[in-house]
Amino acid sequence: MTAAYSDAFVFFGATGDLAYKQIFPALHGLIRDEGFNLPIIGVAKAGWNLDQLKARAKDSLAHHGCVDPAVCDKILDLLQYVDGDYNDPNTFAQLRAELGQAQRPLHYLAIPPSLFGAVAENLAKSGCAENARVVVEKPFGRDVKSAKELGRMLQQYFPEENIFRIDHYLGKEPVQNILYTRFANPMFEPIWNRDHVRSIQITMAENFGVQDRGHFYDEVGALLDVVQNHMLQVVANLTMDPPTGEDNDAARDRKGELMRAIRPLKAEDVVRGQYEGYRKVHGVAPGSTVETFVAIRLEIDSWRWAGVPIFIRAGKMLPVTCTEALVEFKRPPKETFGEHVPNTSAHMRIRVSPDMSIGLGVRVKTPGERMVGRDVELELRRQAADDMPPYQRLLGDASRGNTELFSRQDLVEAQWRIVEPVLGNVAPYYSYAPGTWGPEEAHQLIANDGGWLDPTVTE
Ligand code: BG6
């Protein structure tokens, strides 16, 4: 059965950063590509009026290159605004009035999680939660216990199939493409296991710092900001079993099995780093020990992956901006031609950003009399950037009631279970110079498994 399209789009935090950076551009794309035509109601406590919100929307659209004048006018036409406190029932009475005839609104909570409870409860009390969908942003809790509490609280007012937990990595075309490439081709599955894979490494590098997000970032750090969510999603797409069945839960069920098979981290599996100068960023505590870089070693307790180490490193102020995974295959049992072959010569490289590419590393013979060769990479796919920005794809899916690319309560809890033992200052941290690949200790973590392969980016 196809679920009905939502009939109003409400976003809390309308004057905030996420609305400016993601929501207005996503709405532009939805109107342009899908004929999205719903009342758009912004809610915030900013003392603003509708004209101010329209000015902000215009500015956001111009800033993000959304230049189709008819589409921009349409957004401004559809836009409404409710200003008020999230704890005040009057705010929600006003919202109900603005919703008019709408019966199935979509509420997007682009606000700090500490406010979810008040908003959800007031939506319910004011009659705005009936048949409604709710979209929430990460972080979903701070550990298993708080994630459970958050889940229970939301489920009190919204059935699970109407709760959409956004992890924007799931909306990225190249992340989707990992699953597609693995399961749409017959040759990968037979070698996708511990008999043939030596190790997997993923690098998520950003060549910029925490910018104006010091206050937010200092409460989370790299492990919670991107590893507990985005990087674990990439691990799941790389390692999960093929889904069976076609419903929204088929892939998520497999993903759940995989996440539950990942061994919880121990302090010795983790290296944390902080770039020099981080403590001077506005909003960061002067003596902060929060990490801006983290490297971890994971293991999956399953027949498929037993004994295959999975390394992840993610950090700010690194030499490049690039996210890339490398599946490294075992060499043949004997080098037949007596060559000294680099460990990494048999691999599959999957780049998620800034562009998308998939490459297969193989040896080819160098022309000549001698049986010697060199490493080449066979490029399977190269594509410039995302066709459709993740937020556009995800908000379109949520409006259609399609939960497939959203996280589920059991998955969120399984992800917390992995990182929970190393939250806080369990693992020591080291400082690193901006523009380097993090602290030396991160290299030691992987030294016995061939070392990190630094992605290169040509502008
Ligand atoms: C966000 C993090 O979730 O993802 C940011 O909060 C990070 O710190 C960002 O920079 C990376 O996303 P993308 O799509 O730019 O790779």
Side-chain angles (χ1 to χ4, degrees):
M1 198 183 74
T2 326
Y5 209 91
S6 296
D7 58 3
F9 180 86
V10 180
F11 62 120
F12 290 81
T15 57
D17 213 41
L18 193 70
Y20 184 84
K21 289 185 179 153
Q22 303 289 358
I23 301 177
F24 291 120
L27 290 169
H28 179 276
L30 284 168
I31 292 173
R32 182 194 55 208
D33 302 341
E34 293 189 20
F36 183 94
N37 187 21
L38 315 180
I40 301 172
I41 309 172
V43 186
K45 187 194 170 196
W48 284 22
N49 59 31
L50 178 57
D51 286 340
Q52 284 168 293
L53 186 66
K54 283 187 178 180
R56 173 90 167 165
K58 259 180 163 162
D59 191 43
S60 153
L61 295 171
H63 184 82
H64 294 97
C66 303
V67 288
D68 186 328
V71 176
C72 294
D73 288 350
K74 181 79 186 170
I75 293 188
L76 301 182
D77 249 20
L78 293 170
L79 202 57
Q80 303 171 39
Y81 181 58
V82 173
D83 192 272
D85 195 296
Y86 297 146
N87 286 301
D88 181 356
N90 286 327
T91 309
F92 295 82
Q94 260 191 72
L95 173 61
R96 189 53 261 177
E98 293 284 339
L99 280 168
Q101 299 299 314
Q103 299 295 318
R104 300 179 306 280
L106 173 80
H107 301 291
Y108 183 173
L109 311 192
I111 50 177
S114 53
L115 298 171
F116 288 175
V119 171
E121 186 181 340
N122 281 320
L123 283 172
K125 283 190 177 155
S126 58
C128 296
E130 264 164 55
N131 301 315
R133 298 180 174 128
V134 65
V135 179
V136 291
E137 275 289 334
K138 76 172 171 84
F140 313 115
R142 292 290 160 145
D143 48 24
V144 176
K145 185 165 170 271
S146 54
K148 275 189 201 290
E149 280 163 11
L150 185 58
R152 265 199 300 271
M153 187 278 296
L154 288 173
Q155 285 163 354
Q156 222 180 303
Y157 307 111
F158 301 90
E160 177 64 28
E161 69 269 20
N162 286 354
I163 302 175
F164 296 77
R165 300 172 186 83
I166 281 203
D167 179 328
H168 80 279
Y169 255 60
L170 288 174
K172 283 182 183 271
E173 175 71 21
V175 173
Q176 282 298 293
N177 203 29
I178 299 175
L179 277 189
Y180 188 86
T181 306
R182 282 189 56 204
F183 299 138
N185 295 292
M187 66 281 254
F188 299 122
E189 181 58 14
I191 57 168
W192 218 256
N193 55 49
R194 69 194 172 95
D195 293 333
H196 299 278
V197 176
R198 186 168 57 80
S199 69
I200 297 177
Q201 57 169 279
I202 306 170
T203 295
M204 177 184 181
E206 293 179 315
N207 67 1
F208 47 87
V210 297
Q211 298 167 319
D212 54 358
R213 300 163 73 222
H215 185 71
F216 159 80
Y217 198 89
D218 209 39
E219 289 189 357
V220 287
L223 188 66
L224 299 197
D225 187 37
V226 297
V227 175
Q228 186 269 351
N229 34 66
H230 307 332
M231 291 299 96
L232 287 181
Q233 298 294 354
V234 174
V235 169
N237 280 9
L238 283 168
T239 57
M240 64 189 247
D241 283 348
T244 47
E246 282 169 7
D247 62 68
N248 277 353
D249 278 319
R252 298 196 297 180
D253 287 345
R254 290 289 168 270
K255 205 172 268 187
E257 284 162 15
L258 187 277
M259 296 284 191
R260 283 188 287 276
I262 297 180
R263 231 181 257 176
L265 288 166
K266 298 195 287 294
E268 59 266 35
D269 301 323
V270 180
V271 173
R272 301 191 304 130
Q274 188 186 82
Y275 66 80
E276 289 158 14
Y278 169 72
R279 291 175 179 186
K280 297 206 186 82
V281 174
H282 179 72
V284 171
S288 171
T289 55
V290 163
E291 77 283 350
T292 58
F293 171 98
V294 68
I296 64 171
R297 180 183 194 280
L298 287 178
E299 276 189 58
I300 302 177
D301 276 325
S302 68
W303 276 43
R304 189 195 276 268
W305 295 114
V308 179
I310 299 179
F311 298 93
I312 301 173
R313 61 177 169 167
K316 304 272 185 200
M317 285 291 197
L318 302 189
V320 295
T321 297
C322 181
T323 299
E324 191 168 275
L326 206 70
V327 178
E328 302 188 75
F329 297 106
K330 290 181 178 168
R331 295 294 308 152
K334 181 179 179 317
E335 294 297 347
T336 310
F337 306 106
E339 294 174 288
H340 185 69
V341 178
N343 246 340
T344 47
S345 79
H347 69 250
M348 182 154 171
R349 192 180 51 79
I350 302 170
R351 179 173 285 197
V352 168
S353 77
D355 52 345
M356 168 165 109
S357 67
I358 299 184
L360 271 184
V362 291
R363 294 282 294 172
V364 294
K365 185 175 172 301
T366 309
E369 286 171 21
R370 293 174 54 221
M371 291 295 266
V372 293
R374 63 194 164 93
D375 288 330
V376 294
E377 201 177 82
L378 181 68
E379 198 151 70
L380 299 184
R381 176 89 196 243
R382 179 190 281 272
Q383 191 171 301
D386 282 353
D387 280 349
M388 187 187 279
Y391 273 87
Q392 181 182 333
R393 175 186 294 221
L394 293 172
L395 292 184
D397 278 0
S399 308
R400 278 183 288 274
N402 182 356
T403 51
E404 196 173 349
L405 294 182
F406 293 84
S407 204
R408 224 170 41 184
Q409 184 64 27
D410 60 316
L411 295 174
V412 169
E413 289 173 20
Q415 286 165 242
W416 281 116
R417 191 191 122 272
I418 298 164
V419 300
E420 193 169 69
V422 294
L423 293 180
N425 285 320
V426 170
Y429 83 97
Y430 309 89
S431 63
Y432 62 97
T436 65
W437 284 104
E440 175 51 34
E441 286 73 10
H443 297 281
Q444 290 159 17
L445 187 74
I446 195 176
N448 292 337
D449 289 278
W452 296 106
L453 246 95
D454 301 337
T456 49
V457 178
T458 42
E459 299 301 332

